[in-house]
Amino acid sequence: MITVACYNLKGGVGKTATAVNLSYLAALGGAGTLVWDLDPQGAASFYYRIKPRVKGGSPGLFRRKRKLAAAIKATDFPRLDLVPADFSYRNMDLLLERQRKPGTRIRKLLKSVRGQYQYLFLDCPPGISLLSENIFAAADVLLVPVIPTTLSLRTLEQVLAFCAGEDYRHLRVVPFFSMVDRRKSLHREMIAQRSGALEQALATCIPYASEVEQMGVHRAPLETYAHASPAAGAYRELWAELQRRSAAR
Amino acid sequence: MQKASIYPLGGAQRLRHWRDRLSAQAGLTADPLEQVQITYYDSFDGRLYAAGYSLEQTHTAAGAELRLLRDSGRQLQAALAAALPVSGFPADLPPGELRRRLEKLLDMRALLPVATLQVRRYPLRGVDDEGKTRVRLQVESVGLLDGGGKPRMLQKRLLLQPLRGYAKSARRLAAGLARDFALETATDDLYALALAATGKRPGEDSGKLDIQLQGDMRADAAARHIAARLFATLQANEAGALDGLDSEFLHDFRVAVRRTRSLLDELKHVFPASLRQRFTAEFAWLGNLTGTLRDLDVYLLKFASYRAVLPSELRPALEPLRTFLLYKQQQERVERLTVALQGKRYHKLKQRWQRYLDAPLAKRPVARDALKRIDRVAHRRTWRTYKRILAAGQAINADSPPGELHALRKACKKLRYLMEFFQSLYPPEQIQVAIKALKQLQDNLGDFQDLEVQVVSLRRFAMEMRRRGEYSAATGEAMAVLLETLETRRHQARDRFAARFKRFARAQNQAAFKRLFRPAGGAKTS
């Protein structure tokens, strides 16, 4: 199982849209795929029309090993399942702190579903916390959507500095440009330059597009209602590029 | 995927009737009719089936999809939104998981259709207030397309598919259905349904050798039984060999020919002499006829490995060789194989051989050993051949000419065939150990000779290519590097022989062979 965490320290950069659209494409391509909506806002669950509720909340998940498997719900799409968000996830850090080896609890929890899926997508809440550390420890790929602005570049550098530690050597940080508005000169320049931390960024850029915003209205992955749109094409390309890059590893 | 429940639908009512009734009764949302055509594929010898896999190609309005499944169709292994290439070779699929898995499972074999189903279904869904599907029900009919225009109806049924995390919704619907329909524990595996309807297992017709003999059978009856099995294999592979669907049809065809020749030769005194003479010549003709084509098949199978020995900048220069091999292959198939297999001589050979196999056993056979017990004959022949191999192998040293190794290889093949013909007369584990020991020696001898033949042939091809003007300086260089590598490997195989033979001839193996085949009392053998 390859674990892809859609993560950024900064909020509102397109993490959930990435997790939802890429997980759909992974399942469409034939891979058994699981999404775990770790954000208490529950946007990924909402897009997949699944009620943001886990029996027993996050404390329940940590109490026994099999609890994660029991929380899995089928989406409306073949081969694609989801662990819904729960409002109790907002206190995840407190809960993690009380566990033994608090930095790798999530990784341990994932063991029970390892054989069942080819891909796991984690839709992560913004911020850098104990939960984020758990995500870095559990993920193989940290997929970081970056809006091409100076501030976003700064946060990316913060993330990279944090992940440079000994414990996260297995982790591959993969930034890509998200919510790109080609009318803005700053966006164009930053993409052209790819300076510093952005050198590693994927070639594919996800445009800022109203079709993506409409995911909230359709409550479905972009591919299902706007297949022909440039944004849907960009997600397909992003997924293909990401797969090529993991294969090249 | 979770296990589906199936409720057969009796009566003549149309699917639409059930759809309307169920959607009204259970408050389900009905989706438009789906028509799916599912074709199952496997290699001629059923490799996927034997390994517990199934490969299905579904055709819907949305297009074609290929899916590799396990566990009676419940576990999806890999999928691809594409149709199978016309060649039937996984290597011609776009790269990815499905191709990788299939190439590994099938090796050089092509995929052929096993059965085709036509499924008509009305999907029904139970939806919650978020617009989320919580349970799926299908009203469907399954028909088998077996050549005729209209499908043969196999089953009309309801299929309740529980969704992960929504068990309660499925239970509730199932409780409602239980009042009106009888639940059948029948399989939801459509492939099993299709196979049961056709009455065939994949690979069943490929003519795999499985000979069951009793020790006290008359030798001529046993020999004839073996010959009949070999003849069935030969005929089963004939059409595929002619069409060149994949290389293994011709290969298995040839093995059946060679085994038949071996049988006639080794059980000399079991067959009438006149018959033996006539058919030995005829089967030899068939073997020689197909030899060149088989060699070309092998070179093409090995082509990727030929490329791999070259430095990457030289690899494109080897392409003319592939083109040349393909051209020769086509030429051999059309001008020799097809002409021969559609000709009079082959037709007569088959007819006469069949007549002999069908004829009643002679009451007073002329052949000396015809009335002996088969187990005695088997022990004696196998033991003699084994001893001959031991003596010949021990006489080979580092300076022996290649011809001696070739002769030994032939003898080993004969021994192998004998052991396989008579396998059922011996304790399975013991005979397997002996076969395995022999196989290791055969692999080494095979490598040596194959490499030698390859070197000679490739040299000849190079000359021919040069004559035809398909030979650039770069191609010449690529061929030279390739030949050098093959030469080195040939020497390596030759150097390994001594150790391999020593291993084959070690005391432990000798004792095993002795236990199995040495005639009772250890008496002198004739």
Side-chain angles (χ1 to χ4, degrees), chain B residues 395-417:
Chain B
I396 292 178
N397 57 36
D399 302 324
S400 303
E404 286 185 22
L405 276 96
H406 298 337
L408 183 65
R409 183 192 188 201
K410 272 193 186 162
C412 284
K413 251 184 190 164
K414 281 187 180 166
L415 177 61
R416 176 79 174 272
Y417 291 159

Side-chain angles (χ1 to χ4, degrees), chain A residues 125-185:
Chain A
I128 199 151
S129 59
L130 188 50
L131 173 60
S132 321
E133 285 180 37
N134 266 276
I135 288 161
F136 301 159
D140 302 298
V141 176
L142 196 71
L143 191 57
V144 188
V146 178
I147 305 177
T149 61
T150 331
L151 196 59
S152 291
L153 178 58
R154 238 192 106 236
T155 53
L156 174 63
E157 277 161 358
Q158 283 174 292
V159 172
L160 281 167
F162 191 86
C163 292
E166 189 69 356
D167 292 348
Y168 308 127
R169 271 220 304 232
H170 65 280
L171 184 66
R172 197 139 190 233
V173 181
V174 181
F176 70 96
F177 292 109
S178 171
M179 300 172 85
V180 173
D181 190 342
R182 298 255 176 208
R183 288 166 306 182
K184 295 181 178 164
S185 59

